[in-house]
Amino acid sequence: MSGTDLPANPDDPSSLKQPEKPSLLQIMGPGLITGASDDDPSGIATYSQAGAQYGYALGWTLLFSWPLMCAIQEISARVGRVTGRGIAGNLKQHYPAPLLYGLVTLLLAANVINLGADLGAMAAGLKLVIGGPQMLYVGLFGLVSALLQVFSRYSRYVSVLKWLTLSLFAYVAVVLVVHTPWAQVGKGLVLPAIQFKTDYLTVVVGVLGTTISPYLFFWQAEEEVEETKERPGAIPLNRAPWQAPGEFHRIRVDTYIGMAFSNLVALAIMITTAAVLHAHGVTNIQTSAQAAEALRPIAGPFAFVIFALGIVGTGLLAVPVLAGSAAFALGETFGWHVGLARKANRAKAFYGALVAAVAAGVVMNFTPIDPIKALFWSAVINGVVAVPVMVMLMILSTHRAAMGEFRLPRLLSWMGWAATGVMALAAVGMFATLGH
């Protein structure tokens, strides 16, 4: 039994009460926020570099990755909704501690690098528009993000994150005002011209590492756990199996739309930089701020300002997700009280870890580490780190002791393993071609 066809139990007082036909706005939640946070400043840099360096030739990666990222994110959400624990909590319960510590360490390293790169990119984007001291902006963005997570009510905070997803439409607006040869775009989407060269494969791994990132797995699973704590009547499915049909439908719709939104925006960024930068011989773009600056003389001030401010908006969305996923993973590993719905004095270690992650990202911008290189390589690191995390996630999601009767349907399991295999092949291909 997959769990998707279990009968409802309307007589049970704890049965989840939902509208007979919930609106799309009511359905959208963890999947939408997770998908939107995927287009962070690091991702913008990666998509910009792909478009500037290879034109429309890498559009296929976003079409190809969509079903794979849908599968792995749905699996992550199912683990949280079924068990009432996040990925780290489940790994702690069912697998050896050294394995858990290794995976969480990799996640933390990738997240801190990503946080530092994103905060630096946000500050650079704001400086482009209004001028001023970039390092001061780094500190202010970090401070605002940390304060919102620590002191905002969970329901209000999630509402803010949902509204921040609108900032991503800035990139759709930009692509609509530049001249785009849509025939070439279509060709790049459906007829990939794969090159077995280090530069090409590094960009491919960067794109895949941005769209399929470990912090997204941990975040969406934990958000489903938070939903069971916050929504009246919501109970982990291993204790309330009658809620499964409606909940799995909600998760699927939320995830698939959220990931489609994410990749549509990523494609808009790639098309914009291909049409404006690559077409005019500008091929060396390493940061999102560089992409915005390069757009100004060619595409005009409107495209420049929208692109630059979009970096700030997406960063404000991504930084909490990066810091939150790190704190959730640490908290479950060490048995702390965790949850953004908890007050700060009831989860001191959890919020301390969250603030520490943001602070580490801020500090990274004051070290000799090159933020330009960190921005793009954070996506590549995510692509490499994703492989062992995905392997354990897939094993966990088919583990009877963890998932009970809700082990994955066969098709979803195949798609999850396919996503894992693709990430592994991309990483191996990149390393195998180093020096060639």
Side-chain angles (χ1 to χ4, degrees), residues 150-186:
V150 174
F151 295 109
S152 292
R153 289 183 58 185
Y154 174 74
S155 57
R156 185 176 299 168
Y157 180 65
V158 169
S159 178
V160 169
L161 291 181
K162 283 185 179 181
W163 281 108
L164 277 174
T165 62
L166 295 176
S167 65
L168 295 173
F169 282 107
Y171 296 108
V172 178
V174 172
V175 81
L176 294 177
V177 299
V178 300
H179 174 70
T180 303
W182 291 106
Q184 291 184 43
V185 173

PDB file of all heavy atoms in Angstrom, residues 150-186:
ATOM      1  N   VAL A 150      13.592  35.162  14.398  1.00  0.00           N
ATOM      2  CA  VAL A 150      13.563  34.925  15.837  1.00  0.00           C
ATOM      3  C   VAL A 150      12.305  35.492  16.482  1.00  0.00           C
ATOM      4  O   VAL A 150      11.698  34.862  17.352  1.00  0.00           O
ATOM      5  CB  VAL A 150      14.817  35.524  16.507  1.00  0.00           C
ATOM      6  CG1 VAL A 150      14.717  35.413  18.039  1.00  0.00           C
ATOM      7  CG2 VAL A 150      16.078  34.821  16.019  1.00  0.00           C
ATOM      8  N   PHE A 151      11.866  36.673  16.044  1.00  0.00           N
ATOM      9  CA  PHE A 151      10.822  37.378  16.786  1.00  0.00           C
ATOM     10  C   PHE A 151       9.464  37.458  16.069  1.00  0.00           C
ATOM     11  O   PHE A 151       8.489  37.905  16.672  1.00  0.00           O
ATOM     12  CB  PHE A 151      11.298  38.798  17.131  1.00  0.00           C
ATOM     13  CG  PHE A 151      12.470  38.803  18.075  1.00  0.00           C
ATOM     14  CD1 PHE A 151      13.734  39.173  17.636  1.00  0.00           C
ATOM     15  CD2 PHE A 151      12.312  38.417  19.397  1.00  0.00           C
ATOM     16  CE1 PHE A 151      14.819  39.172  18.502  1.00  0.00           C
ATOM     17  CE2 PHE A 151      13.399  38.406  20.276  1.00  0.00           C
ATOM     18  CZ  PHE A 151      14.657  38.779  19.824  1.00  0.00           C
ATOM     19  N   SER A 152       9.365  37.034  14.816  1.00  0.00           N
ATOM     20  CA  SER A 152       8.067  37.065  14.130  1.00  0.00           C
ATOM     21  C   SER A 152       7.255  35.818  14.461  1.00  0.00           C
ATOM     22  O   SER A 152       7.818  34.729  14.629  1.00  0.00           O
ATOM     23  CB  SER A 152       8.266  37.132  12.613  1.00  0.00           C
ATOM     24  OG  SER A 152       8.823  38.353  12.223  1.00  0.00           O
ATOM     25  N   ARG A 153       5.952  35.974  14.530  1.00  0.00           N
ATOM     26  CA  ARG A 153       5.080  34.808  14.669  1.00  0.00           C
ATOM     27  C   ARG A 153       5.181  33.965  13.407  1.00  0.00           C
ATOM     28  O   ARG A 153       5.285  34.483  12.300  1.00  0.00           O
ATOM     29  CB  ARG A 153       3.629  35.251  14.869  1.00  0.00           C
ATOM     30  CG  ARG A 153       3.352  35.872  16.223  1.00  0.00           C
ATOM     31  CD  ARG A 153       1.887  36.213  16.362  1.00  0.00           C
ATOM     32  NE  ARG A 153       1.047  35.029  16.183  1.00  0.00           N
ATOM     33  CZ  ARG A 153      -0.296  35.069  16.160  1.00  0.00           C
ATOM     34  NH1 ARG A 153      -0.911  36.230  16.288  1.00  0.00           N
ATOM     35  NH2 ARG A 153      -0.986  33.968  15.996  1.00  0.00           N
ATOM     36  N   TYR A 154       5.129  32.658  13.581  1.00  0.00           N
ATOM     37  CA  TYR A 154       5.336  31.761  12.446  1.00  0.00           C
ATOM     38  C   TYR A 154       4.355  32.037  11.319  1.00  0.00           C
ATOM     39  O   TYR A 154       4.749  32.151  10.148  1.00  0.00           O
ATOM     40  CB  TYR A 154       5.206  30.304  12.898  1.00  0.00           C
ATOM     41  CG  TYR A 154       5.276  29.323  11.755  1.00  0.00           C
ATOM     42  CD1 TYR A 154       6.489  29.052  11.131  1.00  0.00           C
ATOM     43  CD2 TYR A 154       4.131  28.687  11.271  1.00  0.00           C
ATOM     44  CE1 TYR A 154       6.565  28.168  10.069  1.00  0.00           C
ATOM     45  CE2 TYR A 154       4.193  27.805  10.218  1.00  0.00           C
ATOM     46  CZ  TYR A 154       5.416  27.542   9.617  1.00  0.00           C
ATOM     47  OH  TYR A 154       5.478  26.676   8.559  1.00  0.00           O
ATOM     48  N   SER A 155       3.068  32.167  11.628  1.00  0.00           N
ATOM     49  CA  SER A 155       2.065  32.370  10.577  1.00  0.00           C
ATOM     50  C   SER A 155       2.318  33.666   9.824  1.00  0.00           C
ATOM     51  O   SER A 155       2.186  33.722   8.598  1.00  0.00           O
ATOM     52  CB  SER A 155       0.655  32.374  11.184  1.00  0.00           C
ATOM     53  OG  SER A 155       0.559  33.371  12.189  1.00  0.00           O
ATOM     54  N   ARG A 156       2.701  34.724  10.553  1.00  0.00           N
ATOM     55  CA  ARG A 156       2.978  36.003   9.907  1.00  0.00           C
ATOM     56  C   ARG A 156       4.257  35.919   9.078  1.00  0.00           C
ATOM     57  O   ARG A 156       4.348  36.468   7.985  1.00  0.00           O
ATOM     58  CB  ARG A 156       3.111  37.094  10.967  1.00  0.00           C
ATOM     59  CG  ARG A 156       3.291  38.499  10.412  1.00  0.00           C
ATOM     60  CD  ARG A 156       3.313  39.518  11.533  1.00  0.00           C
ATOM     61  NE  ARG A 156       2.049  39.492  12.283  1.00  0.00           N
ATOM     62  CZ  ARG A 156       1.882  40.114  13.441  1.00  0.00           C
ATOM     63  NH1 ARG A 156       2.873  40.794  13.990  1.00  0.00           N
ATOM     64  NH2 ARG A 156       0.715  40.046  14.067  1.00  0.00           N
ATOM     65  N   TYR A 157       5.233  35.205   9.600  1.00  0.00           N
ATOM     66  CA  TYR A 157       6.516  35.072   8.912  1.00  0.00           C
ATOM     67  C   TYR A 157       6.346  34.321   7.596  1.00  0.00           C
ATOM     68  O   TYR A 157       6.887  34.716   6.562  1.00  0.00           O
ATOM     69  CB  TYR A 157       7.505  34.345   9.818  1.00  0.00           C
ATOM     70  CG  TYR A 157       8.868  34.158   9.218  1.00  0.00           C
ATOM     71  CD1 TYR A 157       9.670  35.259   8.938  1.00  0.00           C
ATOM     72  CD2 TYR A 157       9.356  32.891   8.928  1.00  0.00           C
ATOM     73  CE1 TYR A 157      10.923  35.094   8.385  1.00  0.00           C
ATOM     74  CE2 TYR A 157      10.600  32.721   8.383  1.00  0.00           C
ATOM     75  CZ  TYR A 157      11.381  33.827   8.115  1.00  0.00           C
ATOM     76  OH  TYR A 157      12.613  33.661   7.561  1.00  0.00           O
ATOM     77  N   VAL A 158       5.573  33.235   7.614  1.00  0.00           N
ATOM     78  CA  VAL A 158       5.311  32.478   6.398  1.00  0.00           C
ATOM     79  C   VAL A 158       4.570  33.338   5.388  1.00  0.00           C
ATOM     80  O   VAL A 158       4.828  33.275   4.183  1.00  0.00           O
ATOM     81  CB  VAL A 158       4.513  31.194   6.719  1.00  0.00           C
ATOM     82  CG1 VAL A 158       3.999  30.545   5.442  1.00  0.00           C
ATOM     83  CG2 VAL A 158       5.396  30.203   7.470  1.00  0.00           C
ATOM     84  N   SER A 159       3.659  34.176   5.867  1.00  0.00           N
ATOM     85  CA  SER A 159       2.936  35.079   4.970  1.00  0.00           C
ATOM     86  C   SER A 159       3.898  36.050   4.299  1.00  0.00           C
ATOM     87  O   SER A 159       3.786  36.331   3.098  1.00  0.00           O
ATOM     88  CB  SER A 159       1.871  35.849   5.756  1.00  0.00           C
ATOM     89  OG  SER A 159       1.197  36.757   4.917  1.00  0.00           O
ATOM     90  N   VAL A 160       4.877  36.560   5.056  1.00  0.00           N
ATOM     91  CA  VAL A 160       5.887  37.459   4.486  1.00  0.00           C
ATOM     92  C   VAL A 160       6.679  36.735   3.399  1.00  0.00           C
ATOM     93  O   VAL A 160       6.939  37.282   2.320  1.00  0.00           O
ATOM     94  CB  VAL A 160       6.835  37.979   5.590  1.00  0.00           C
ATOM     95  CG1 VAL A 160       8.044  38.696   4.978  1.00  0.00           C
ATOM     96  CG2 VAL A 160       6.087  38.926   6.520  1.00  0.00           C
ATOM     97  N   LEU A 161       7.071  35.498   3.678  1.00  0.00           N
ATOM     98  CA  LEU A 161       7.835  34.729   2.695  1.00  0.00           C
ATOM     99  C   LEU A 161       7.027  34.510   1.413  1.00  0.00           C
ATOM    100  O   LEU A 161       7.557  34.586   0.307  1.00  0.00           O
ATOM    101  CB  LEU A 161       8.264  33.381   3.282  1.00  0.00           C
ATOM    102  CG  LEU A 161       9.313  33.420   4.403  1.00  0.00           C
ATOM    103  CD1 LEU A 161       9.643  32.003   4.870  1.00  0.00           C
ATOM    104  CD2 LEU A 161      10.577  34.126   3.950  1.00  0.00           C
ATOM    105  N   LYS A 162       5.733  34.241   1.571  1.00  0.00           N
ATOM    106  CA  LYS A 162       4.894  34.056   0.381  1.00  0.00           C
ATOM    107  C   LYS A 162       4.852  35.329  -0.459  1.00  0.00           C
ATOM    108  O   LYS A 162       4.956  35.270  -1.691  1.00  0.00           O
ATOM    109  CB  LYS A 162       3.463  33.669   0.797  1.00  0.00           C
ATOM    110  CG  LYS A 162       3.297  32.217   1.221  1.00  0.00           C
ATOM    111  CD  LYS A 162       1.835  31.912   1.488  1.00  0.00           C
ATOM    112  CE  LYS A 162       1.607  30.481   1.885  1.00  0.00           C
ATOM    113  NZ  LYS A 162       0.181  30.167   2.120  1.00  0.00           N
ATOM    114  N   TRP A 163       4.709  36.474   0.199  1.00  0.00           N
ATOM    115  CA  TRP A 163       4.663  37.732  -0.556  1.00  0.00           C
ATOM    116  C   TRP A 163       6.001  38.031  -1.215  1.00  0.00           C
ATOM    117  O   TRP A 163       6.057  38.624  -2.297  1.00  0.00           O
ATOM    118  CB  TRP A 163       4.241  38.880   0.365  1.00  0.00           C
ATOM    119  CG  TRP A 163       2.766  38.919   0.613  1.00  0.00           C
ATOM    120  CD1 TRP A 163       2.104  38.594   1.748  1.00  0.00           C
ATOM    121  CD2 TRP A 163       1.748  39.282  -0.329  1.00  0.00           C
ATOM    122  NE1 TRP A 163       0.754  38.723   1.589  1.00  0.00           N
ATOM    123  CE2 TRP A 163       0.503  39.149   0.323  1.00  0.00           C
ATOM    124  CE3 TRP A 163       1.767  39.701  -1.661  1.00  0.00           C
ATOM    125  CZ2 TRP A 163      -0.709  39.427  -0.310  1.00  0.00           C
ATOM    126  CZ3 TRP A 163       0.556  39.986  -2.293  1.00  0.00           C
ATOM    127  CH2 TRP A 163      -0.656  39.844  -1.614  1.00  0.00           C
ATOM    128  N   LEU A 164       7.094  37.627  -0.577  1.00  0.00           N
ATOM    129  CA  LEU A 164       8.414  37.862  -1.165  1.00  0.00           C
ATOM    130  C   LEU A 164       8.606  37.081  -2.461  1.00  0.00           C
ATOM    131  O   LEU A 164       9.432  37.458  -3.298  1.00  0.00           O
ATOM    132  CB  LEU A 164       9.517  37.484  -0.168  1.00  0.00           C
ATOM    133  CG  LEU A 164       9.879  38.537   0.878  1.00  0.00           C
ATOM    134  CD1 LEU A 164      10.868  37.974   1.887  1.00  0.00           C
ATOM    135  CD2 LEU A 164      10.457  39.793   0.217  1.00  0.00           C
ATOM    136  N   THR A 165       7.856  36.003  -2.643  1.00  0.00           N
ATOM    137  CA  THR A 165       7.979  35.253  -3.896  1.00  0.00           C
ATOM    138  C   THR A 165       7.601  36.111  -5.095  1.00  0.00           C
ATOM    139  O   THR A 165       8.045  35.846  -6.219  1.00  0.00           O
ATOM    140  CB  THR A 165       7.096  33.982  -3.881  1.00  0.00           C
ATOM    141  OG1 THR A 165       5.716  34.349  -3.756  1.00  0.00           O
ATOM    142  CG2 THR A 165       7.467  33.060  -2.726  1.00  0.00           C
ATOM    143  N   LEU A 166       6.803  37.161  -4.863  1.00  0.00           N
ATOM    144  CA  LEU A 166       6.414  38.038  -5.966  1.00  0.00           C
ATOM    145  C   LEU A 166       7.610  38.778  -6.557  1.00  0.00           C
ATOM    146  O   LEU A 166       7.570  39.209  -7.711  1.00  0.00           O
ATOM    147  CB  LEU A 166       5.366  39.048  -5.487  1.00  0.00           C
ATOM    148  CG  LEU A 166       4.013  38.475  -5.048  1.00  0.00           C
ATOM    149  CD1 LEU A 166       3.112  39.581  -4.516  1.00  0.00           C
ATOM    150  CD2 LEU A 166       3.343  37.741  -6.202  1.00  0.00           C
ATOM    151  N   SER A 167       8.678  38.913  -5.752  1.00  0.00           N
ATOM    152  CA  SER A 167       9.863  39.617  -6.262  1.00  0.00           C
ATOM    153  C   SER A 167      10.468  38.902  -7.462  1.00  0.00           C
ATOM    154  O   SER A 167      11.148  39.518  -8.287  1.00  0.00           O
ATOM    155  CB  SER A 167      10.915  39.751  -5.154  1.00  0.00           C
ATOM    156  OG  SER A 167      11.406  38.477  -4.759  1.00  0.00           O
ATOM    157  N   LEU A 168      10.196  37.612  -7.578  1.00  0.00           N
ATOM    158  CA  LEU A 168      10.759  36.845  -8.689  1.00  0.00           C
ATOM    159  C   LEU A 168      10.141  37.221 -10.033  1.00  0.00           C
ATOM    160  O   LEU A 168      10.737  36.974 -11.085  1.00  0.00           O
ATOM    161  CB  LEU A 168      10.590  35.342  -8.440  1.00  0.00           C
ATOM    162  CG  LEU A 168      11.368  34.792  -7.241  1.00  0.00           C
ATOM    163  CD1 LEU A 168      11.006  33.345  -6.994  1.00  0.00           C
ATOM    164  CD2 LEU A 168      12.863  34.923  -7.465  1.00  0.00           C
ATOM    165  N   PHE A 169       8.951  37.811 -10.009  1.00  0.00           N
ATOM    166  CA  PHE A 169       8.336  38.228 -11.271  1.00  0.00           C
ATOM    167  C   PHE A 169       9.137  39.352 -11.934  1.00  0.00           C
ATOM    168  O   PHE A 169       8.920  39.659 -13.106  1.00  0.00           O
ATOM    169  CB  PHE A 169       6.894  38.674 -11.046  1.00  0.00           C
ATOM    170  CG  PHE A 169       5.934  37.523 -10.897  1.00  0.00           C
ATOM    171  CD1 PHE A 169       5.391  37.207  -9.665  1.00  0.00           C
ATOM    172  CD2 PHE A 169       5.594  36.745 -11.988  1.00  0.00           C
ATOM    173  CE1 PHE A 169       4.510  36.146  -9.527  1.00  0.00           C
ATOM    174  CE2 PHE A 169       4.719  35.677 -11.863  1.00  0.00           C
ATOM    175  CZ  PHE A 169       4.169  35.369 -10.628  1.00  0.00           C
ATOM    176  N   ALA A 170      10.063  39.953 -11.182  1.00  0.00           N
ATOM    177  CA  ALA A 170      10.931  40.973 -11.772  1.00  0.00           C
ATOM    178  C   ALA A 170      11.677  40.411 -12.970  1.00  0.00           C
ATOM    179  O   ALA A 170      11.847  41.093 -13.993  1.00  0.00           O
ATOM    180  CB  ALA A 170      11.927  41.484 -10.728  1.00  0.00           C
ATOM    181  N   TYR A 171      12.086  39.160 -12.872  1.00  0.00           N
ATOM    182  CA  TYR A 171      12.873  38.578 -13.957  1.00  0.00           C
ATOM    183  C   TYR A 171      12.011  38.197 -15.154  1.00  0.00           C
ATOM    184  O   TYR A 171      12.479  38.223 -16.290  1.00  0.00           O
ATOM    185  CB  TYR A 171      13.654  37.379 -13.423  1.00  0.00           C
ATOM    186  CG  TYR A 171      14.636  37.831 -12.381  1.00  0.00           C
ATOM    187  CD1 TYR A 171      14.432  37.549 -11.045  1.00  0.00           C
ATOM    188  CD2 TYR A 171      15.724  38.618 -12.734  1.00  0.00           C
ATOM    189  CE1 TYR A 171      15.315  38.010 -10.084  1.00  0.00           C
ATOM    190  CE2 TYR A 171      16.609  39.084 -11.784  1.00  0.00           C
ATOM    191  CZ  TYR A 171      16.401  38.780 -10.459  1.00  0.00           C
ATOM    192  OH  TYR A 171      17.260  39.263  -9.517  1.00  0.00           O
ATOM    193  N   VAL A 172      10.759  37.876 -14.913  1.00  0.00           N
ATOM    194  CA  VAL A 172       9.833  37.654 -16.019  1.00  0.00           C
ATOM    195  C   VAL A 172       9.584  38.978 -16.738  1.00  0.00           C
ATOM    196  O   VAL A 172       9.531  39.032 -17.977  1.00  0.00           O
ATOM    197  CB  VAL A 172       8.512  37.056 -15.510  1.00  0.00           C
ATOM    198  CG1 VAL A 172       7.528  36.870 -16.661  1.00  0.00           C
ATOM    199  CG2 VAL A 172       8.763  35.714 -14.810  1.00  0.00           C
ATOM    200  N   ALA A 173       9.473  40.068 -15.966  1.00  0.00           N
ATOM    201  CA  ALA A 173       9.275  41.389 -16.568  1.00  0.00           C
ATOM    202  C   ALA A 173      10.459  41.784 -17.432  1.00  0.00           C
ATOM    203  O   ALA A 173      10.292  42.331 -18.531  1.00  0.00           O
ATOM    204  CB  ALA A 173       9.052  42.428 -15.467  1.00  0.00           C
ATOM    205  N   VAL A 174      11.674  41.477 -16.974  1.00  0.00           N
ATOM    206  CA  VAL A 174      12.871  41.843 -17.740  1.00  0.00           C
ATOM    207  C   VAL A 174      12.908  41.105 -19.066  1.00  0.00           C
ATOM    208  O   VAL A 174      13.199  41.692 -20.120  1.00  0.00           O
ATOM    209  CB  VAL A 174      14.150  41.549 -16.925  1.00  0.00           C
ATOM    210  CG1 VAL A 174      15.391  41.737 -17.789  1.00  0.00           C
ATOM    211  CG2 VAL A 174      14.231  42.481 -15.718  1.00  0.00           C
ATOM    212  N   VAL A 175      12.614  39.803 -19.053  1.00  0.00           N
ATOM    213  CA  VAL A 175      12.718  39.026 -20.294  1.00  0.00           C
ATOM    214  C   VAL A 175      11.692  39.489 -21.319  1.00  0.00           C
ATOM    215  O   VAL A 175      11.885  39.319 -22.530  1.00  0.00           O
ATOM    216  CB  VAL A 175      12.568  37.516 -20.004  1.00  0.00           C
ATOM    217  CG1 VAL A 175      11.110  37.100 -19.862  1.00  0.00           C
ATOM    218  CG2 VAL A 175      13.230  36.682 -21.099  1.00  0.00           C
ATOM    219  N   LEU A 176      10.617  40.108 -20.856  1.00  0.00           N
ATOM    220  CA  LEU A 176       9.579  40.590 -21.770  1.00  0.00           C
ATOM    221  C   LEU A 176       9.952  41.889 -22.471  1.00  0.00           C
ATOM    222  O   LEU A 176       9.326  42.264 -23.461  1.00  0.00           O
ATOM    223  CB  LEU A 176       8.249  40.753 -21.024  1.00  0.00           C
ATOM    224  CG  LEU A 176       7.601  39.463 -20.505  1.00  0.00           C
ATOM    225  CD1 LEU A 176       6.334  39.771 -19.719  1.00  0.00           C
ATOM    226  CD2 LEU A 176       7.293  38.506 -21.659  1.00  0.00           C
ATOM    227  N   VAL A 177      10.973  42.599 -21.940  1.00  0.00           N
ATOM    228  CA  VAL A 177      11.328  43.878 -22.558  1.00  0.00           C
ATOM    229  C   VAL A 177      12.595  43.790 -23.402  1.00  0.00           C
ATOM    230  O   VAL A 177      13.001  44.780 -24.002  1.00  0.00           O
ATOM    231  CB  VAL A 177      11.513  44.983 -21.482  1.00  0.00           C
ATOM    232  CG1 VAL A 177      10.234  45.190 -20.703  1.00  0.00           C
ATOM    233  CG2 VAL A 177      12.679  44.672 -20.548  1.00  0.00           C
ATOM    234  N   VAL A 178      13.215  42.623 -23.465  1.00  0.00           N
ATOM    235  CA  VAL A 178      14.405  42.473 -24.309  1.00  0.00           C
ATOM    236  C   VAL A 178      14.021  41.685 -25.562  1.00  0.00           C
ATOM    237  O   VAL A 178      13.073  40.901 -25.554  1.00  0.00           O
ATOM    238  CB  VAL A 178      15.555  41.756 -23.565  1.00  0.00           C
ATOM    239  CG1 VAL A 178      15.959  42.544 -22.325  1.00  0.00           C
ATOM    240  CG2 VAL A 178      15.188  40.327 -23.186  1.00  0.00           C
ATOM    241  N   HIS A 179      14.763  41.912 -26.624  1.00  0.00           N
ATOM    242  CA  HIS A 179      14.491  41.192 -27.878  1.00  0.00           C
ATOM    243  C   HIS A 179      14.976  39.752 -27.739  1.00  0.00           C
ATOM    244  O   HIS A 179      16.149  39.508 -27.460  1.00  0.00           O
ATOM    245  CB  HIS A 179      15.203  41.873 -29.041  1.00  0.00           C
ATOM    246  CG  HIS A 179      15.078  41.111 -30.333  1.00  0.00           C
ATOM    247  ND1 HIS A 179      13.876  41.020 -31.020  1.00  0.00           N
ATOM    248  CD2 HIS A 179      15.993  40.389 -31.043  1.00  0.00           C
ATOM    249  CE1 HIS A 179      14.065  40.280 -32.101  1.00  0.00           C
ATOM    250  NE2 HIS A 179      15.336  39.891 -32.135  1.00  0.00           N
ATOM    251  N   THR A 180      14.067  38.815 -27.925  1.00  0.00           N
ATOM    252  CA  THR A 180      14.392  37.399 -27.719  1.00  0.00           C
ATOM    253  C   THR A 180      14.062  36.580 -28.963  1.00  0.00           C
ATOM    254  O   THR A 180      12.908  36.596 -29.422  1.00  0.00           O
ATOM    255  CB  THR A 180      13.596  36.836 -26.529  1.00  0.00           C
ATOM    256  OG1 THR A 180      13.879  37.615 -25.358  1.00  0.00           O
ATOM    257  CG2 THR A 180      13.975  35.388 -26.261  1.00  0.00           C
ATOM    258  N   PRO A 181      15.023  35.856 -29.525  1.00  0.00           N
ATOM    259  CA  PRO A 181      14.741  34.940 -30.643  1.00  0.00           C
ATOM    260  C   PRO A 181      14.161  33.634 -30.107  1.00  0.00           C
ATOM    261  O   PRO A 181      14.888  32.688 -29.785  1.00  0.00           O
ATOM    262  CB  PRO A 181      16.127  34.743 -31.264  1.00  0.00           C
ATOM    263  CG  PRO A 181      17.082  34.940 -30.145  1.00  0.00           C
ATOM    264  CD  PRO A 181      16.461  35.925 -29.207  1.00  0.00           C
ATOM    265  N   TRP A 182      12.853  33.565 -30.031  1.00  0.00           N
ATOM    266  CA  TRP A 182      12.209  32.444 -29.345  1.00  0.00           C
ATOM    267  C   TRP A 182      12.450  31.113 -30.044  1.00  0.00           C
ATOM    268  O   TRP A 182      12.410  30.056 -29.398  1.00  0.00           O
ATOM    269  CB  TRP A 182      10.708  32.722 -29.208  1.00  0.00           C
ATOM    270  CG  TRP A 182      10.447  33.830 -28.236  1.00  0.00           C
ATOM    271  CD1 TRP A 182      10.058  35.107 -28.524  1.00  0.00           C
ATOM    272  CD2 TRP A 182      10.602  33.772 -26.815  1.00  0.00           C
ATOM    273  NE1 TRP A 182       9.953  35.852 -27.386  1.00  0.00           N
ATOM    274  CE2 TRP A 182      10.279  35.064 -26.306  1.00  0.00           C
ATOM    275  CE3 TRP A 182      10.969  32.768 -25.921  1.00  0.00           C
ATOM    276  CZ2 TRP A 182      10.312  35.353 -24.952  1.00  0.00           C
ATOM    277  CZ3 TRP A 182      11.015  33.073 -24.561  1.00  0.00           C
ATOM    278  CH2 TRP A 182      10.688  34.339 -24.094  1.00  0.00           C
ATOM    279  N   ALA A 183      12.714  31.139 -31.324  1.00  0.00           N
ATOM    280  CA  ALA A 183      13.033  29.887 -32.015  1.00  0.00           C
ATOM    281  C   ALA A 183      14.321  29.273 -31.463  1.00  0.00           C
ATOM    282  O   ALA A 183      14.415  28.055 -31.264  1.00  0.00           O
ATOM    283  CB  ALA A 183      13.162  30.134 -33.525  1.00  0.00           C
ATOM    284  N   GLN A 184      15.322  30.118 -31.208  1.00  0.00           N
ATOM    285  CA  GLN A 184      16.569  29.624 -30.629  1.00  0.00           C
ATOM    286  C   GLN A 184      16.361  29.144 -29.190  1.00  0.00           C
ATOM    287  O   GLN A 184      16.971  28.166 -28.762  1.00  0.00           O
ATOM    288  CB  GLN A 184      17.632  30.721 -30.657  1.00  0.00           C
ATOM    289  CG  GLN A 184      18.115  31.084 -32.048  1.00  0.00           C
ATOM    290  CD  GLN A 184      19.240  32.105 -32.000  1.00  0.00           C
ATOM    291  OE1 GLN A 184      20.139  32.003 -31.179  1.00  0.00           O
ATOM    292  NE2 GLN A 184      19.172  33.105 -32.879  1.00  0.00           N
ATOM    293  N   VAL A 185      15.503  29.842 -28.468  1.00  0.00           N
ATOM    294  CA  VAL A 185      15.187  29.417 -27.100  1.00  0.00           C
ATOM    295  C   VAL A 185      14.571  28.022 -27.116  1.00  0.00           C
ATOM    296  O   VAL A 185      14.956  27.138 -26.337  1.00  0.00           O
ATOM    297  CB  VAL A 185      14.221  30.414 -26.428  1.00  0.00           C
ATOM    298  CG1 VAL A 185      13.762  29.882 -25.069  1.00  0.00           C
ATOM    299  CG2 VAL A 185      14.887  31.769 -26.266  1.00  0.00           C
ATOM    300  N   GLY A 186      13.605  27.810 -28.025  1.00  0.00           N
ATOM    301  CA  GLY A 186      12.961  26.509 -28.136  1.00  0.00           C
ATOM    302  C   GLY A 186      13.930  25.404 -28.498  1.00  0.00           C
ATOM    303  O   GLY A 186      13.875  24.292 -27.956  1.00  0.00           O
TER     304      GLY A 186
END
